[in-house]
Amino acid sequence: MIISLDTSSDIPIYVQLRNQIVTGIGKGELCVGETLPSVRQMAADAGINSMTVNKTYQILKAEGFIEIDRRKGARILPVQQTEQRYREKLESELELLSAEACLKGMKKDEFLNICEQMFGRMQPVESEG
């Protein structure tokens, strides 16, 4: 998986990194059990501060996407059942996206089609080992 960060974006680097890792897991580019680069290695590869990577990894851990072991590093966790807290977050974010799409003149069918296409691209992969 190739990480591409936009340092001129209004979106903080740690959020961009988090989003790309989550998307990579969702698309099957990162498999369950796969180890992420160490904080230092990811920072060097991406050309960012190691504290930024550490913050990203801590967020991913808190969200249940990875586990962190001092000896083995950060590893991708299996898909989990949807929690009520996540469902509420999802509804809130979809409400905002729906409002923005509506205000920009997008029709409901077009919005739902885009959602279906994006969801259809997700294919999380369980490890083979």
Side-chain angles (χ1 to χ4, degrees):
M1 183 178 134
I2 297 172
I3 300 292
S4 175
L5 304 172
D6 181 0
T7 56
S8 64
S9 173
D10 291 339
I11 300 170
I13 297 295
Y14 75 92
V15 174
Q16 292 181 50
L17 183 57
R18 177 251 180 229
N19 292 348
Q20 289 188 35
I21 291 171
V22 171
T23 300
I25 297 168
K27 287 183 173 181
E29 295 169 359
L30 295 169
C31 301
V32 170
E34 189 172 338
T35 303
L36 293 174
S38 69
V39 169
R40 286 184 188 167
Q41 187 63 53
M42 177 70 83
D45 291 348
I48 59 177
N49 188 299
S50 62
M51 294 301 288
T52 302
V53 176
N54 189 53
K55 182 174 185 174
T56 301
Y57 282 13
Q58 291 305 317
I59 290 169
L60 290 167
K61 178 183 175 186
E63 293 174 336
F65 293 112
I66 66 172
E67 66 179 352
I68 300 174
D69 181 299
R70 290 185 187 272
R71 294 163 286 155
K72 297 178 183 176
R75 294 175 7 142
I76 308 299
L77 288 176
V79 175
Q80 302 172 357
Q81 294 297 317
T82 304
E83 302 170 357
Q84 183 60 31
R85 186 176 66 204
Y86 173 74
R87 191 174 293 276
E88 291 167 2
K89 175 186 177 224
L90 178 65
E91 287 175 5
S92 174
E93 291 179 11
L94 279 174
E95 181 178 41
L96 175 60
L97 288 173
S98 298
E100 290 174 354
C102 183
L103 293 170
K104 295 290 184 179
M106 186 176 283
K107 300 293 181 205
K108 178 182 175 183
D109 290 345
E110 185 180 3
F111 179 79
L112 293 176
N113 187 34
I114 291 170
C115 289
E116 189 172 301
Q117 287 176 17
M118 294 298 113
F119 197 85
R121 292 180 188 169
M122 300 303 130
Q123 300 176 5
V125 177
E126 296 289 328
S127 67
E128 297 177 10

